[in-house]
Amino acid sequence: SFDNLYISLISAGEAAGDMSGILEKTASYLERRSKIQQDIIGALIYPLVLIILALVIVGLLLVFVVPNVVNQFDTLNQQLPLLTRVLISISDFLSGPAIWLSFAIFFLLFGLSGLIGKNKIRFFFDKHMLKIPLINSFLINANLARFTSSLSILRNSNVPIIEGLNISTSTISNSFLKSKMNEALSKVSEGDSLAKSLNKVQEIPLLVIQMIDSGERSGELDSMLTKAAEYLDQDFQQSTKIAMNLLEPMVVVLMGSIVASIVVAVLLPLIQMNNLTLIG
């Protein structure tokens, strides 16, 4: 029920004889982390429900409604418009091969997870998630905020730097980023500075490295880690709010465009049929 960070903080508080101070810092950290998680979940609920409902409606249209409507055009001896032909192809695919393809992909992934291991699949997935624009900044800021915040608390609690780095790195959820951090921070035990070691991880924003470097040079690493965590938290929350505000109208516009395309694809043959009737 308790992670390494929590246990290490309690252990440091017992050793230093300052349990009340450590528990207060731990509570503040956990409350802040919980608030961020709740904000993200709350902001995602409406767009996710909207996306799911829209996909279900579009799927039902393509599987049940479109084939019945398109069958009425079989009597035409004219080539159907391109948009209608594309719609028919998608409808046929969803009505037939898509189901078997879904099963095949599921069993393929299940088999791969058994052959190469779930950890390797997660590592591959996490690595490529950091290459997606916009999403990568969210993931990096959230993980680094946890890392710097936990390291700041541990250093303020007089936990040795090497032990603090090992515990703080374990709070990083992205396995690829965690691997790079572990590899870079191993140099700290060999005598390199923290800023120099972190500079080898390309995903870390330069400003964060500069803040840590400034803290090491001035002897105020603990306070600079706290400021870096606050900066990353604020940047993450602000970016999340902007993204969530943009996501809702984007989903509405996208799904509206898909439904409109289906309607147009069905109407085009009717217009073509009407034109042929008038010409005849």
Side-chain angles (χ1 to χ4, degrees), residues 40-97:
I40 295 174
I41 293 173
L44 284 174
I45 286 177
Y46 176 73
L48 285 176
V49 171
L50 188 63
I51 290 172
I52 292 171
L53 286 175
L55 289 176
V56 169
I57 292 171
V58 170
L60 291 174
L61 283 173
L62 289 173
V63 173
F64 297 105
V65 178
V66 171
N68 293 329
V69 175
V70 170
N71 287 336
Q72 307 301 320
F73 305 138
D74 290 340
T75 56
L76 291 177
N77 295 323
Q78 300 290 329
Q79 187 179 33
L80 295 174
L82 176 62
L83 185 60
T84 306
R85 282 182 277 137
V86 170
L87 182 66
I88 294 172
S89 300
I90 295 174
S91 177
D92 291 340
F93 175 75
L94 291 177
S95 302

Side-chain angles (χ1 to χ4, degrees), residues 93 97-113:
F93 175 75
I99 298 175
W100 301 109
L101 183 62
S102 300
F103 280 111
I105 292 174
F106 173 78
F107 285 113
L108 177 64
L109 292 176
F110 183 78
L112 287 174
S113 65

Side-chain angles (χ1 to χ4, degrees), residues 10 14 29 47 67 92 99 109 113 120 127 146 171 174 216 219 274:
I10 298 300
E14 289 177 324
Y29 169 75
D92 291 340
I99 298 175
L109 292 176
S113 65
K120 290 184 178 180
K127 179 180 178 180
R146 284 197 298 269
T171 64
N174 186 282
E216 286 184 307
N274 187 50

Side-chain angles (χ1 to χ4, degrees), residues 77-278:
N77 295 323
Q78 300 290 329
Q79 187 179 33
L80 295 174
L82 176 62
L83 185 60
T84 306
R85 282 182 277 137
V86 170
L87 182 66
I88 294 172
S89 300
I90 295 174
S91 177
D92 291 340
F93 175 75
L94 291 177
S95 302
I99 298 175
W100 301 109
L101 183 62
S102 300
F103 280 111
I105 292 174
F106 173 78
F107 285 113
L108 177 64
L109 292 176
F110 183 78
L112 287 174
S113 65
L115 290 174
I116 65 179
K118 294 181 180 179
N119 290 335
K120 290 184 178 180
I121 291 179
R122 181 182 176 184
F123 185 87
F124 176 84
F125 177 77
D126 288 345
K127 179 180 178 180
H128 286 82
M129 284 295 290
L130 293 180
K131 295 180 180 180
I132 302 176
L134 297 179
I135 293 179
N136 57 358
S137 62
F138 291 128
L139 295 175
I140 290 169
N141 285 349
N143 281 284
L144 290 181
R146 284 197 298 269
F147 171 80
T148 52
S149 182
S150 57
L151 182 59
S152 172
I153 296 173
L154 291 167
R155 289 298 299 143
N156 280 319
S157 306
N158 297 319
V159 175
I161 183 66
I162 302 301
E163 183 182 352
L165 288 173
N166 290 332
I167 297 170
S168 301
T169 307
S170 68
T171 64
I172 298 175
S173 59
N174 186 282
S175 58
F176 176 74
L177 183 60
K178 182 190 290 187
S179 175
K180 294 193 70 174
M181 292 284 284
N182 282 325
E183 183 180 349
L185 293 174
S186 64
K187 300 297 182 181
V188 176
S189 60
E190 299 175 6
D192 283 354
S193 68
L194 179 59
K196 183 179 178 181
S197 300
L198 291 176
N199 196 36
K200 298 175 183 177
V201 183
Q202 298 177 350
E203 287 78 8
I204 299 179
L206 182 60
L207 178 59
V208 175
I209 296 175
Q210 291 173 342
M211 293 174 73
I212 293 174
D213 182 56
S214 174
E216 286 184 307
R217 292 177 184 274
S218 63
E220 298 180 356
L221 178 60
D222 301 350
S223 61
M224 292 306 292
L225 284 169
T226 302
K227 291 180 180 179
E230 291 174 352
Y231 161 74
L232 290 167
D233 269 340
Q234 291 175 359
D235 187 55
F236 174 75
Q237 292 181 40
Q238 187 65 25
S239 301
T240 302
K241 288 180 181 178
I242 294 173
M244 292 302 102
N245 289 334
L246 290 174
L247 182 60
E248 293 179 15
M250 286 176 61
V251 170
V252 173
V253 171
L254 177 62
M255 293 306 171
S257 300
I258 293 175
V259 173
S261 299
I262 294 175
V263 173
V264 171
V266 172
L267 288 178
L268 281 176
L270 296 176
I271 297 173
Q272 186 180 40
M273 184 187 305
N274 187 50
N275 291 337
L276 291 174
T277 303
L278 292 175

